[in-house]
Amino acid sequence: QNLRIYGNTAIINGAHTFAGVEVLGGATLSHSPATADAEYRLDLTITDTLWITAGAQIDVSGRGYLCGRTVGNTTVGGATGWSGGSYGGLGDAVNGGTNAVYGDYHTPAERGSGGGNASAGGGLVRLTAGAAIVDGVLRANGADGGCNAGGGSGGGILLEVGTLSGGGTIVANGGNGGGGGGCLGGPGGGGRIAVYYDVLDGFDVTAQVSAHGGENSNNPDAAVGTVYLKQNSGEGVLRLDSHGAATGGWTPLGMATESAFVVDHLVISGTNVIAAPEHDMPIQANNVSILSHGMLTHRAATTDQEYSLRMTVANTLTIATDATIDVSNRGYLAGRTVGNTTVGGATGWSGG
């Protein structure tokens, strides 16, 4: 059967199959907002065509995990204080801490995390279609934080399609932090998007798909999330890209449970777009491109842990003239030396 939504809002939870889906005339298709006891997703298999007209939207913004909650719908490890939530990119920590990033950039399957004190993360959309015409918006943004409250992280979007066309956008941006008038609140980190396609018919996936971090004029901005783009017969490209939007923090590569970060083509692009392995593990890539003031680095050493950047690129490493691989000031702390010990370290006002 076909589903046509015109000029109103429809809620669909869970997995369903349709021949075609049309979202028309300013209509909105969404899923229910998460509660402390339940989480939801919009999961559609469309055998023919998905059509979102200009002014219409599939929008699950602010329908992910509630404030202070994170993956697994728990407060354990969630954002605290006035911090922004994290999913693909880190939220900004204010008067507390943000949660760790989570999930697989290849196949987003989680909702976004709530910020501290107020806002929810973005929800989860998983769509499979023969063709998709996106002239409107497919959106899973985090909710904005109020005064002294963090923004929610962007949510998750997985789109698997034969032909993708249209002049609209696909976004899973972090919510803005509560600011202005002396208020503080950390912005939420970007979410995770993966788009698999056979053919692009006028749809520019590098420009029309984004997972930006949220912003706040009184605090540092949050980090970008992940956008994975794969033509089914070609190379998979993981993009960490601000598209010129304000950006801060850093985007971890990989998860704490992984022994290596494996990627086909990694692209890091944009002023203050900074990426580093989540922990001390190697990067294994076919191609790496660092562009437009982007930076690849490793985490800074602490008194308990040291880090390094170890990377194997099978084909091409590209570093644009305005981009960097930079590990400056990330080695042993003051007075410490090899082995991360103070024994034998520099003393007084001596150099290292």
Side-chain angles (χ1 to χ4, degrees):
Q1 64 182 9
N2 294 302
L3 173 66
R4 175 177 291 175
I5 307 164
Y6 187 91
N8 58 12
T9 298
I11 301 296
I12 299 178
N13 295 321
H16 300 270
T17 299
F18 296 97
V21 173
E22 299 176 354
V23 189
L24 314 171
T28 298
L29 175 59
S30 189
H31 64 65
S32 296
T35 68
D37 301 312
E39 51 194 84
Y40 301 93
R41 73 185 192 279
L42 176 64
D43 189 343
L44 303 182
T45 298
I46 302 162
T47 56
D48 193 353
T49 301
L50 166 67
W51 184 22
I52 309 172
T53 62
Q57 57 194 349
I58 293 178
D59 191 352
V60 298
S61 298
R63 292 179 175 253
Y65 298 119
L66 297 176
C67 67
R69 305 185 79 88
T70 187
V71 62
N73 205 5
T74 176
T75 58
V76 177
T80 59
W82 307 337
S83 303
S86 305
Y87 180 14
L90 287 171
D92 182 44
V94 179
N95 197 33
T98 187
N99 60 285
V101 299
Y102 52 91
D104 185 345
Y105 71 82
H106 296 94
T107 54
E110 300 85 13
R111 298 118 196 105
S113 292
N117 206 31
S119 59
L124 174 62
V125 178
R126 295 168 68 90
L127 302 172
T128 300
I133 306 169
V134 182
D135 286 317
V137 183
L138 174 53
R139 182 188 295 117
N141 290 348
D144 293 341
C147 184
N148 296 340
S153 78
I157 298 175
L158 173 62
L159 176 62
E160 299 174 292
V161 64
T163 300
L164 178 59
S165 62
T169 55
I170 301 172
V171 297
N173 300 332
N176 294 328
C183 293
L184 301 175
R192 294 195 189 275
I193 300 174
V195 179
Y196 294 80
Y197 59 91
D198 290 324
V199 176
L200 296 176
D201 184 8
F203 194 98
D204 185 351
V205 287
T206 64
Q208 292 173 244
V209 184
S210 69
H212 300 160
E215 302 178 20
N216 186 343
S217 58
N218 293 340
N219 288 101
D221 302 306
V224 298
T226 61
V227 172
Y228 183 65
L229 307 171
K230 188 175 191 313
Q231 185 171 25
N232 291 320
S233 61
E235 178 184 64
V237 181
L238 174 62
R239 295 187 66 88
L240 312 181
D241 192 344
S242 69
H243 302 94
T247 303
W250 63 286
T251 302
L253 302 175
M255 299 294 111
T257 56
E258 295 176 330
S259 59
F261 179 70
V262 180
V263 63
D264 193 354
H265 188 174
L266 173 64
V267 177
I268 303 167
S269 179
T271 300
N272 293 328
V273 176
I274 301 171
E278 194 278 340
H279 58 279
D280 193 30
M281 62 176 170
I283 297 172
Q284 299 171 359
N286 287 327
N287 297 284
V288 174
S289 302
I290 310 172
L291 313 171
S292 300
H293 302 281
M295 185 173 87
L296 178 62
T297 186
H298 64 70
R299 297 177 66 171
T302 68
T303 57
D304 301 314
Q305 180 68 51
E306 53 193 84
Y307 299 92
S308 62
L309 181 60
R310 294 170 288 136
M311 181 168 64
T312 301
V313 182
N315 296 323
T316 303
L317 169 63
T318 301
I319 306 173
T321 56
D322 55 0
T324 58
I325 292 178
D326 190 349
V327 297
S328 302
N329 301 316
R330 291 175 178 259
Y332 298 121
L333 297 177
R336 305 185 80 87
T337 186
V338 63
N340 205 5
T341 177
T342 58
V343 177
T347 60
W349 302 340
S350 304

